[in-house]
Amino acid sequence: MEPDHVDEIISAWGHELPEIAGLPLELAKRTALLVSAFDIAAGAELEKLGLTQAEYGVLATLRRIGAPYRLKPTDLTHALLLSSGGTSNVIKRLVAAGYVTRAAAEDDARSSWVQLTPSGVETAEAAVRATTAVHARLVDRIPERTAKALSEQLRIALAAIEEGVLIRR
């Protein structure tokens, strides 16, 4: 295979700081580029719907859990790996847009529920369909066998590293 941009980065670091120019840096750069490609493609679709990535994250999370499409803000924060302040700001924007409502929790006066409105359900579904379609177009560029193998290898890699990094218990 022809050398790519990541190979060039690794080679440059190999001359400057050889001790860092190894597999960990290569994997970090390749996965970052892969995530970036998916995010850029999805971002363009979300922009058409007037949504940010964070707003989409909240809407999609609430929609995928099923009716009544509601969670507490702390659950959204954990699900989306956002800060509590970031989650609060996103929720405020979604309330203003009419996509979610906030209601006091019956069992805890200090807490509330965030729930999709009918408009929020509709917008969430449109956004999920649009981002899934654009992701499918990207994946279609990869031979199916390679894509399936990559998915399985990523599953194994994530299982090995996510505990304590992505999942805080």
Side-chain angles (χ1 to χ4, degrees), residues 121-144:
V121 172
E122 184 179 307
T123 301
E125 290 176 1
V128 169
R129 286 188 175 98
T131 58
T132 301
V134 75
H135 288 164
R137 288 193 296 276
L138 292 178
V139 172
D140 282 347
R141 297 178 184 180
I142 305 169
E144 184 177 0

Side-chain angles (χ1 to χ4, degrees), residues 15 22 35 37 40 42-43 51 61 71-72 87 89-91 98 100 103 105 115 118 122 129 131-132 157 166:
H15 294 293
V35 167
I40 289 168
L51 298 172
T61 299
L71 285 173
K72 293 188 176 177
T87 302
N89 288 335
V90 172
I91 291 169
V100 301
Q115 184 169 5
E122 184 179 307
R129 286 188 175 98
T131 58
T132 301
L166 297 177

Side-chain angles (χ1 to χ4, degrees), residues 38-103:
F38 280 99
D39 283 350
I40 289 168
E45 294 301 310
L46 294 174
E47 191 175 318
K48 293 174 189 174
L49 295 169
L51 298 172
T52 66
Q53 291 276 6
E55 291 164 345
Y56 168 71
V58 169
L59 294 176
T61 299
L62 291 170
R63 176 58 186 90
R64 84 167 170 255
I65 63 165
Y69 314 117
R70 73 179 192 170
L71 285 173
K72 293 188 176 177
T74 54
D75 296 327
L76 284 167
T77 296
H78 293 296
L80 298 169
L81 303 174
L82 293 173
S83 69
S84 58
T87 302
S88 180
N89 288 335
V90 172
I91 291 169
K92 285 177 189 173
R93 290 194 307 267
L94 292 172
V95 167
Y99 296 144
V100 301
T101 59
R102 272 188 99 143

Side-chain angles (χ1 to χ4, degrees), residues 5-52:
H5 180 62
V6 174
D7 293 324
E8 293 170 12
I9 292 169
I10 301 301
S11 177
W13 279 117
H15 294 293
E16 296 299 317
L17 294 172
E19 68 274 15
I20 72 153
L23 189 56
L25 181 60
E26 185 175 350
L27 285 172
K29 292 296 180 190
R30 289 191 195 288
T31 54
L33 286 171
L34 188 60
V35 167
S36 182
F38 280 99
D39 283 350
I40 289 168
E45 294 301 310
L46 294 174
E47 191 175 318
K48 293 174 189 174
L49 295 169
L51 298 172
T52 66

